[in-house]
């Protein structure tokens, strides 16, 4: 053993091979994986059970950590079989209703390790993402740009509520936030009544002792009956030692005792109702209350997916849990993305990529954060693997503002692409145009009036693979001898003797 053998550089580590594309000599490397992967193909095309399965098993064998979201009820069992086949059972964490595991995302954002821990903006943003998801679903994927005023007002209410709870030493939880907002002062008269009681109860000079005792008794009763006043009173009574805490306390008091109470009744009601709409799923009986509103099990810390190469399967399939399952999955996904972006690969001696794996990706897409995340995923060594039927799925979820451009921007940063059988013209046309054109020799035969035949040759630019070709690919199952055909494309890779920029590859559904 050479004790002075030079350690591999990070780029050399990324050059390791995941697998060779079947039937070719071209390798798919770790580097290809962390540049993002897209699988597309019609329902039943074999994209998940063919190239998807082949890629998943290769990553598992290489030791990648995984965050897997489940859209369908059979997704978990399929991944359990993958994990078992690769001998990774000790790394597996199933996060579902039966597991009883809990992930209080607000507590995580405020208490996690790292310099950015405790930043109220991050916890605020987690709830705002749910608000945007609600609007996205209710508007049929359209989204609304005119909601900026209400979003800003809602963001201010959420941020101030979290800040108030922290300053008062109260637990930041969905229920405590609800109580704060529900019992907030709604009128200027309420503020005046409380302020007058507090002033009289705190004054020792020039006041009738009986009136002071009466005010103290009334104030104590008011505090005991109103959680909002309990919090505000704790803040007002606290002896803060830092300028930052004093500044925050003044902001909370100004907002709660002046700004919010002086809003018009319609504005205040709208903002309050929007807030209650966001947190309602976490208050009613179901997975969001039981597993996302309180408790934080260490097995679910997303950092462990990276540092300990854990395989966390978020098993709240939409087909079973509906909208609640979607919210649950997107919460964990966004928290994982945040943890991934904080990763410092340069400080790791033997880093290994981690993977965010999402089948039926259109159900879990966040148009803003996913696009931004993908632009830096490589530097964090995160392999994002998104599987969807067609481009129109993504256009639909992108909203009204340039949906095609935004969808193509997102998938354009998924550098390794697999195109299985598809009848969607938009997707086939896009894939064909991306792969490009080449010159094709054409013979032209002409017959003159004397019936003489002449032949001329010319060249014409034609698609390397025509859109209709994607409709002819094998889709697996017994009828196709379990073979799934896909086009593989990645800029910078060449295939075969002709050094083509794409290859048509067969994957065996029954081969591990």
């Amino acid at each position: 053993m050479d004790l002075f053998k030079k350690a591999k550089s990070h780029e050399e580590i990324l050059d390791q091979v995941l697998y060779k594309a079947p039937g070719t000599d071209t390798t798919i490397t770790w580097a290809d994986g962390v540049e993002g992967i897209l699988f597309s193909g019609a329902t039943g095309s074999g994209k998940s059970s063919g190239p998807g399965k082949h890629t998943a098993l290769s990553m598992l064998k290489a030791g990648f950590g995984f965050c897997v979201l489940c859209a369908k009820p059979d997704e978990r069992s399929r991944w359990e079989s993958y994990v078992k086949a690769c001998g990774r059972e000790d790394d597996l964490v199933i996060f579902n209703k039966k597991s009883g595991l809990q992930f209080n995302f607000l507590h995580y954002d405020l208490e996690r390790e790292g310099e950015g821990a405790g930043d109220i903006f991050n916890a605020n943003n987690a709830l705002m993402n749910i608000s945007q998801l609600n609007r996205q679903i209710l508007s049929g994927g359209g989204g609304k740009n005119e909601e900026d005023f209400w979003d800003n007002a809602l963001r201010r209410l959420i941020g101030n509520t979290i800040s108030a709870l922290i300053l008062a030493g109260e637990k930041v939880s969905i229920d405590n936030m609800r109580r704060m907002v529900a019992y907030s002062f709604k009128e200027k008269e309420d503020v005046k009544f409380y302020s007058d009681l507090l002033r009289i109860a705190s004054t020792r000079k020039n006041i009738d002792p009986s009136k002071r005792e009466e005010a103290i008794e009334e104030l104590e009763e008011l505090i005991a009956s109103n959680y909002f006043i309990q919090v505000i009173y704790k803040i007002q009574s606290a002896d803060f030692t830092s300028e930052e805490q004093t500044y925050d306390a003044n902001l909370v008091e100004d907002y709660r005792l002046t700004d919010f109470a002086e809003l018009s009744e319609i504005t205040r009601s709208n903002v309050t109702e929007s807030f209650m709409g966001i947190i309602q799923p976490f208050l009613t009986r179901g997975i969001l209350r039981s597993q996302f509103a309180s408790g934080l099990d260490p097995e679910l810390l997303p950092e462990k997916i990276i540092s300990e190469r854990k395989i966390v399967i978020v098993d709240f399939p939409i087909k079973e849990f509906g909208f609640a399952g979607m919210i649950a999955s997107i919460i964990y996904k966004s928290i994982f993305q945040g943890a991934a972006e904080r990763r410092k690969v340069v400080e790791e001696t033997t880093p290994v990529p981690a993977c965010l794996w999402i089948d039926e990706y259109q159900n879990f897409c966040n148009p803003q954060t996913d696009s931004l995340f993908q632009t830096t995923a490589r530097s964090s060594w995160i392999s994002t693997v998104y599987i969807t039927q067609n481009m129109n799925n993504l256009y639909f979820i992108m909203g009204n503002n340039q949906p095609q451009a935004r969808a193509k921007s997102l998938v354009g940063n998924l550098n390794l692409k697999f195109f299985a059988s598809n009848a969607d013209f938009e997707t086939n046309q896009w894939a064909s145009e991306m792969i490009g054109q080449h010159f094709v020799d054409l013979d032209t035969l002409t017959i003159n009036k004397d019936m003489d035949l002449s032949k001329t040759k010319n060249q014409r630019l034609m698609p390397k693979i025509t859109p209709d070709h994607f409709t002819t690919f094998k889709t697996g199952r017994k009828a196709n001898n379990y073979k799934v055909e896909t086009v593989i494309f990645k800029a910078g890779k060449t295939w075969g003797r002709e050094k083509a920029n794409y290859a048509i590859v067969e994957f065996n559904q029954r081969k591990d």
Side-chain angles (χ1 to χ4, degrees), residues 454-511:
S454 62
K455 182 169 70 171
T456 57
K457 283 185 174 290
N458 60 69
Q459 289 187 322
R460 181 182 299 176
L461 271 175
M462 300 286 287
K464 292 180 181 179
I465 180 167
T466 58
D468 64 297
H469 199 158
F470 294 95
T471 67
T472 67
F473 288 167
K474 296 176 183 177
T475 58
R477 299 182 298 280
K478 186 175 181 179
N480 294 288
N481 199 26
Y482 301 100
K483 299 294 179 61
V484 177
E485 285 184 317
T486 65
V487 164
I488 306 182
F489 172 83
K490 182 181 183 291
K493 276 195 181 293
T494 57
W495 313 80
R497 294 179 181 177
E498 296 180 356
K499 302 296 182 182
N501 68 337
Y502 78 98
I504 298 178
V505 174
E506 282 190 356
F507 288 90
N508 191 330
Q509 291 175 311
R510 290 195 159 183
K511 186 176 180 181

Side-chain angles (χ1 to χ4, degrees), residues 303-337:
E303 289 82 1
K304 292 194 173 185
I305 296 174
I306 297 169
S307 62
E308 299 181 19
R309 305 173 193 178
K310 293 297 182 181
I311 304 161
V312 176
I313 299 178
V314 184
D315 181 33
F316 301 102
I318 294 172
K319 302 300 181 183
E320 287 282 359
F321 293 94
F323 190 47
M326 185 183 298
I327 292 177
S329 299
I330 289 177
I331 286 173
Y332 195 84
K333 167 193 162 215
S334 63
I335 295 295
F336 170 75
Q337 287 175 322

Side-chain angles (χ1 to χ4, degrees), residues 11 51 118 145 178 198 237 327 349 398 422 506 510:
E11 288 304 315
N145 297 323
R178 175 195 65 81
L198 185 62
S237 304
I327 292 177
T349 54
M398 286 292 166
N422 215 329
E506 282 190 356
R510 290 195 159 183

Side-chain angles (χ1 to χ4, degrees), residues 237-280:
S237 304
D239 184 19
F240 295 117
T241 57
S242 73
E243 291 184 7
E244 184 179 18
Q245 286 180 316
T246 302
Y247 179 79
D248 290 343
N250 289 334
L251 286 180
V252 167
E253 286 189 58
D254 288 345
Y255 177 76
R256 288 295 177 179
L257 302 182
T258 304
D259 298 353
F260 190 72
E262 291 183 357
L263 288 173
S264 70
E265 183 178 352
I266 293 176
T267 301
R268 187 173 55 249
S269 296
N270 282 342
V271 175
T272 300
E273 188 59 31
S274 294
F275 172 76
M276 292 300 182
I278 294 173
I279 66 170
Q280 185 60 33

Side-chain angles (χ1 to χ4, degrees), residues 58 60 226 241 262 267 270 298 309 354 378 393 396 421:
S58 299
L60 284 167
N226 187 307
T241 57
E262 291 183 357
T267 301
N270 282 342
R309 305 173 193 178
R378 187 188 188 279
N393 282 346
F396 176 80
S421 175

